[in-house]
Structures are given as structure tokens and as C-alpha cells.
Amino acid sequence: MTTGLYHPLRLLWVDSTPAALDQTGRFLQGRRMEVCFADNFNNTCQKIEMWSPHLLLLDYITSDAMAFETFVYDRLLLIDPYRANGPLADNPWQHEAMPILLVAGEPMISTPGLKALHLQRAAHFVAKPVESSCLLSLVEKSLPEPNPGITLDPDQGCVEVQGCQHTVSEQSMDLLVTLARHHPRPLTAVRLAQRMHAERGVLISEASVRMAVLALRRQLVVDDPRSLIANKCGYFLTCTPTLISDGGTAELPSRQHRLPGRPLE
């Protein structure tokens, strides 16, 4: 069976009364999306830094200690996961700033000029009450389904990149599977070596990890200006990975029988 390893789309919904949005939240979660709520801008900043959401559903809150404009035009710039060197900087949609859907009802809708000002930073405007299917359409427009890009078949030792198949060694496959398991989170060379040992039973040095990544970059050439494996605050796959395994979503068998310290080929 095939299991998509790309994390479900993470949506952060900021509203002063999040409990009223439970039904819409459940609707979105049924469409392979994760929805998290925040009721003020300070909590929103914390969740953005910890969770790296893909999209922000932002209500026009006027009763918060932090002004709406301060949050959008000052604070968000510093913590936006899509910013340069941010955790989502190398994203499949090539966004340079977090997409914002501005959600608002009265009195904002009926205030001349106010909506236009806030729409300068918003991708779309959503009027309250929110219609679930309309909201879903806007989310999908902002975050379209990316091209899977890379398929890993550990049993066959095969990697498919944009329709081209490549055979890689067991150890190289272990490295790719580990990156896929943690996608889209970056792993430093040290952390990648640790995870390969803990999850796959492979003993490998930091230097060997770097050499293996370099070799895979040369072997798995893609028709894209980006490398298949990027290194920005750690290594990560720039294509959405899919894993083919007889075990499905279960943990793949580790290779504890390997000789300690065996380097990647």
C-alpha cells in the first residue's frame, strides 16, 4: 500500500470565540487537514513558532491587547514560517509569506475602506458566517496539492523521482526513509545520524551522512532548480515523499543485523 508522508495541511484559526468554529474545524479535519485554534494574538505567535502552520485563518480581532495591525505587519514578519531561512522557506508552493484568509463579520464588512486596508496582506476575504465548502475551496486554492515528486520503495531498493526510477543502496534508502519520516522537518547531520540509528538500526557518522547526501544529490537529479535534498537549518526533502511498503503505516523493520559503523554506500 502507499502512504503519503507529507504532513496534513496545518491551519491555524485565530478567533476570539474559537468554540463557535468547532463544526467547521471538524469539516476541514475530515479533508486531511489539521486545525488549531487561538483566541488572541499572543497565543497565535506562540503557536506559529511551535507549530509552523501552512495557512492562517485570521479574524479581525479588536479586543486584544495587541493591535491587529501590529500583529500582521510587525510580529508576523519575524515568525512567519515561510520567511527566508524559516522552517517552510523551501515549500512546494514557493510561498515567501504565510497565506492569510481574513475572516470577518460586522462591523468590519460595513466599514468603508477598512476591509481594503487589511486585504493588502490577505490572500482572500471570508465573510461570517463561514460556509465550510467555500472555505475549503479557498484553502485548496492557497495550498494546492503538490506533486508527490519522490516515491520510496524500500523493499525493492527503488526511488522514483518525477517519473524516473533509480536503484539505491540499502543504507541510502535508510537515509531517505528517515528524512521522509520526519518530512518536512529538517534534520541536522548529527540528528539525522541519531535518527537513522534509533529508527533504522544504522550506525553512521556525521561525516558519512554529509558524504551520502552529496552522493544522492548527484544521483537523484530532478528537473527543478532546487536540489532533491536541501540543507537549510538541517537536511530535508524538497519534494513531497510517498512511501511504498508492505507494512503500510507501521514502522519499517530496522536493520540491527548490520555491522556497527558500516558507512553509507
Side-chain angles (χ1 to χ4, degrees):
M1 62 182 295
T2 301
T3 304
L5 291 178
Y6 191 78
H7 286 235
L9 298 180
R10 299 184 295 276
L11 314 181
L12 179 56
W13 198 330
V14 185
D15 193 285
S16 57
T17 56
L21 308 172
D22 285 346
Q23 182 175 352
T24 305
R26 287 194 296 270
F27 176 86
L28 294 174
Q29 288 172 335
R31 271 68 183 177
R32 295 187 64 251
M33 299 180 186
E34 294 181 358
V35 183
C36 183
F37 295 101
D39 59 3
N40 63 70
F41 292 135
N42 281 324
N43 287 344
T44 300
C45 291
Q46 295 176 5
K47 291 181 183 295
I48 288 176
E49 291 186 281
M50 294 177 58
W51 199 47
S52 299
H54 295 102
L55 183 142
L56 191 61
L57 292 157
L58 186 58
D59 186 36
Y60 181 60
I61 299 176
T62 58
S63 58
D64 197 280
M66 185 187 305
F68 181 95
E69 291 77 8
T70 300
F71 168 74
V72 173
Y73 295 105
D74 294 333
R75 292 293 301 277
L76 185 56
L77 295 177
L78 303 176
I79 59 176
D80 190 330
Y82 290 95
R83 71 192 186 279
N85 297 321
L88 298 181
D90 287 278
N91 60 87
W93 311 286
Q94 299 184 349
H95 289 321
E96 296 181 355
M98 179 187 293
I100 295 177
L101 299 184
L102 185 61
V103 183
E106 298 292 346
M108 180 178 174
I109 293 177
S110 58
T111 303
L114 184 59
K115 183 170 71 175
L117 171 64
H118 296 313
L119 277 175
Q120 292 176 6
R121 178 61 182 85
H124 299 282
F125 176 77
V126 184
K128 287 185 175 181
V130 176
E131 203 283 312
S132 298
S133 60
C134 177
L135 178 58
L136 175 63
S137 177
L138 292 177
V139 171
E140 292 176 338
K141 182 176 181 179
S142 300
L143 303 170
E145 188 70 23
N147 186 338
I150 179 172
T151 301
L152 309 176
D153 188 345
D155 293 336
Q156 301 298 321
C158 180
V159 178
E160 182 174 314
V161 183
Q162 297 182 351
C164 298
Q165 292 190 346
H166 305 264
T167 300
V168 299
S169 67
E170 284 187 350
Q171 296 89 345
S172 294
M173 180 63 74
D174 284 326
L175 186 148
L176 290 170
V177 169
T178 303
L179 287 176
R181 289 288 191 194
H182 292 268
H183 186 78
R185 305 296 184 186
L187 296 175
T188 64
V190 172
R191 185 63 174 164
L192 181 52
Q194 292 173 342
R195 297 321 304 164
M196 287 178 67
H197 181 232
E199 299 171 13
R200 309 289 294 165
V202 178
L203 293 175
I204 181 173
S205 67
E206 176 185 353
S208 294
V209 165
R210 297 184 186 280
M211 292 176 59
V213 169
L214 180 60
L216 282 169
R217 282 174 170 169
R218 292 171 176 168
Q219 180 182 3
L220 305 179
V221 179
V222 297
D223 185 20
D224 191 296
R226 299 171 299 172
S227 171
L228 178 66
I229 304 177
N231 184 11
K232 186 176 293 184
C233 302
Y235 294 115
F236 59 93
L237 298 172
T238 57
C239 295
T240 305
T242 298
L243 175 65
I244 297 177
S245 169
D246 292 337
T249 57
E251 287 297 319
L252 292 175
S254 63
R255 309 190 187 279
Q256 299 289 352
H257 60 278
R258 291 180 181 165
L259 295 177
R262 180 180 177 181
L264 279 161
E265 300 174 3

